[in-house]
Amino acid sequence: MLDLVRITLESVGYSIFNIVFLFGVWVVFLINRRLNRIDIYRIIKKKSMINLMADILVQSILVGSLVSFLVVFIGIPLYFNEFLLFLIPITLLLSMVRIRFLDLSYGVALICFLSLIMDGQTHIASLILLVGIISLIKGVLILLTKEQSVIPVLSRKDNQIILGHIIHKSWILPIGLLILQIGELATQGIQMPTWWPMIQYPYNQNIFYTMFPFVAFMNHNSISYTETLQNHQKQSGYMNIIFGVLLLLIGVLAVENLYVQIMGSLIMVVFPEGMHHAKVRKEKKQPPIYTHPENGLRIMEVIHGGIADEIGMELGEVIEKVNDTFVQDIKHFLRMVKEAEGEIIIESRTIAGRLMRYEIHKSKDLTRMGVRFIPEKPLIVYSMEGYNQIGLFDFLKGKY
């Protein structure tokens, strides 16, 4: 067992010290640097790029190691062919069309179809299971990493300024694949239990298994104006978990069934594309949550440690009155707070429509009110549709 752990970790290590992995790290860095430049308002507290990339690398290595151990200890072998070597180039080419195609499932689906058409030897069921495991873990990681790589954006809809958020998470995974080879093993191998591997393919010849260092992108990106950030993250995480479980079930059934293999290859594209287009339709039909109101000021950030944070104000609240006087604009609000005598009474309305009343004693330092509002004339307005239609190269060039 210890030998198996050692060999698996060695394979992951070879993947890390690989030019393809280093190239993938560079791509992930460029994506996050561009996201950092989009985030001009800095509503969500961010780590430095060095700390962010350190977190992403640690997460990538841990996920890659976990996937490798599951593949090896369960026994999910692949028959090696040249298509696997081209996964990263295929993935990058697809991402030039749409940035969401950077995810593993699209490239693997194309490899599955190429294999079915040209040689039929690649173990399609194992590839479906591999994508299922990674999608399942990705869903959990989206739920756990929360505000990592989350960017607030201001857009315009029906002549209204609206606040939304981009969730764009990218990882580059170093993976040790279990490769099935035909022939006799020249050296002493590791004796495995009789039940292993759990996924078995019929061969009349002698076979043995080796480890192969492999690198793959894991990516999720979506944008929402109609959901809170918390709900958007939960929905994204749970849908990836459901997608992963579905692929695991299909992968088990696809071992010796060509029709299920074709269905699984299709689902690797149809399911994420279906989720994406359903999300786009929802964003078009439903009203945005955080809009610039006709009357009052909508809070787009409550700064930690400020007065607004201390008294319990929340993102999305609309401040309507100060000391029974309607708020006209930001300058008017600041002037009323500054000139108020004695106690300040602020009346606001939550996203749910509930009226709130806050009392602030004049003794507090009102210069640290700690709120930022959706501006009536923002510095930059991003296209609602543009993010869903842009390719990776154009994204990195700053065309969004």
Side-chain angles (χ1 to χ4, degrees), residues 212-374:
F212 178 75
F214 187 69
V215 176
F217 282 106
M218 184 171 72
N219 181 75
H220 172 83
N221 60 286
S222 57
I223 186 169
S224 180
Y225 299 89
T226 63
E227 297 175 322
T228 64
L229 175 57
Q230 291 76 15
N231 288 341
H232 186 191
Q233 286 177 319
K234 286 179 181 178
Q235 185 184 69
S236 299
Y238 292 145
M239 290 307 292
N240 275 281
I241 290 171
I242 292 169
F243 179 46
V245 171
L246 176 63
L247 288 180
L248 290 176
L249 293 174
I250 292 172
V252 171
L253 297 174
V255 175
E256 295 186 41
N257 191 315
L258 177 62
Y259 297 107
V260 179
Q261 291 174 18
I262 295 171
M263 182 180 71
S265 301
L266 284 170
I267 286 175
M268 280 192 283
V269 175
V270 172
F271 190 97
E273 282 300 287
M275 287 194 301
H276 169 75
H277 288 289
K279 180 73 176 170
V280 170
R281 286 194 298 271
K282 179 183 176 183
E283 292 296 319
K284 287 181 178 179
K285 290 181 178 179
Q286 292 192 5
I289 295 180
Y290 307 120
T291 61
H292 187 279
E294 293 183 6
N295 299 299
L297 300 170
R298 189 179 299 279
I299 297 173
M300 74 172 184
E301 180 187 15
V302 178
I303 299 170
H304 179 71
I307 293 174
D309 182 39
E310 292 175 3
I311 63 178
M313 285 185 170
E314 297 179 351
L315 169 68
E317 281 190 44
V318 176
I319 294 179
E320 297 179 341
K321 295 180 182 180
V322 174
N323 289 344
D324 213 31
T325 301
F326 284 101
V327 176
Q328 297 173 8
D329 54 33
I330 295 175
K331 289 182 179 179
H332 185 222
F333 170 77
L334 295 174
R335 187 170 65 251
M336 285 194 293
V337 169
K338 183 179 180 180
E339 295 175 356
E341 296 180 2
E343 200 170 52
I344 297 173
I345 298 174
I346 295 177
E347 295 176 53
S348 68
R349 192 178 298 270
T350 66
I351 288 290
R354 187 158 53 99
L355 288 172
M356 303 294 292
R357 181 183 172 93
Y358 302 101
E359 297 181 3
I360 306 172
H361 198 271
K362 184 66 175 176
S363 62
K364 288 185 175 290
D365 180 9
L366 297 179
T367 59
R368 62 177 193 91
M369 192 69 193
V371 285
R372 293 171 73 186
F373 303 105
I374 295 179

Side-chain angles (χ1 to χ4, degrees), residues 45-62:
K45 187 177 181 181
K46 293 288 189 301
K47 294 183 176 181
S48 68
M49 280 299 297
I50 293 175
N51 289 335
L52 174 62
M53 286 304 299
D55 286 349
I56 291 172
L57 280 174
V58 169
Q59 293 161 12
S60 297
I61 293 170
L62 289 176

Side-chain angles (χ1 to χ4, degrees), residues 71-278:
V71 165
V72 171
F73 282 88
I74 294 173
I76 305 175
L78 281 167
Y79 183 86
F80 183 81
N81 69 17
E82 63 275 10
F83 295 137
L84 291 173
L85 295 175
F86 291 101
L87 177 61
I88 290 291
I90 288 171
T91 301
L92 288 172
L93 285 173
L94 289 173
S95 72
M96 298 304 165
V97 181
R98 293 289 184 268
I99 197 169
R100 66 181 179 275
F101 296 164
L102 188 64
D103 191 45
L104 174 76
S105 63
Y106 295 96
V108 170
L110 183 56
I111 287 175
C112 288
F113 285 119
L114 289 172
S115 179
L116 286 167
I117 293 168
M118 297 180 69
D119 67 7
Q121 289 186 319
T122 300
H123 294 145
I124 307 298
S126 294
L127 284 173
I128 294 170
L129 287 168
L130 179 65
V131 175
I133 291 170
I134 291 174
S135 297
L136 182 62
I137 295 172
K138 179 174 69 173
V140 174
L141 207 53
I142 289 170
L143 296 174
L144 292 178
T145 53
K146 295 184 179 179
E147 294 180 349
Q148 176 180 300
S149 301
V150 174
I151 307 298
V153 289
L154 291 173
S155 298
R156 192 183 300 275
K157 182 179 182 181
D158 300 330
N159 293 321
Q160 273 190 317
I161 298 299
I162 59 176
L163 174 68
H165 43 265
I166 293 170
I167 298 178
H168 194 138
K169 299 176 184 288
S170 298
W171 298 271
I172 183 72
L173 307 182
I175 302 171
L177 291 182
L178 184 66
I179 300 297
L180 181 150
Q181 296 194 29
I182 297 171
E184 294 286 346
L185 187 62
T187 59
Q188 182 67 35
I190 300 173
Q191 190 67 35
M192 299 301 291
T194 54
W195 58 264
W196 189 93
M198 289 186 67
I199 306 301
Q200 297 192 14
Y201 297 93
Y203 280 94
N204 296 324
Q205 306 101 314
N206 291 326
I207 58 172
F208 63 94
Y209 300 94
T210 59
M211 297 296 295
F212 178 75
F214 187 69
V215 176
F217 282 106
M218 184 171 72
N219 181 75
H220 172 83
N221 60 286
S222 57
I223 186 169
S224 180
Y225 299 89
T226 63
E227 297 175 322
T228 64
L229 175 57
Q230 291 76 15
N231 288 341
H232 186 191
Q233 286 177 319
K234 286 179 181 178
Q235 185 184 69
S236 299
Y238 292 145
M239 290 307 292
N240 275 281
I241 290 171
I242 292 169
F243 179 46
V245 171
L246 176 63
L247 288 180
L248 290 176
L249 293 174
I250 292 172
V252 171
L253 297 174
V255 175
E256 295 186 41
N257 191 315
L258 177 62
Y259 297 107
V260 179
Q261 291 174 18
I262 295 171
M263 182 180 71
S265 301
L266 284 170
I267 286 175
M268 280 192 283
V269 175
V270 172
F271 190 97
E273 282 300 287
M275 287 194 301
H276 169 75
H277 288 289

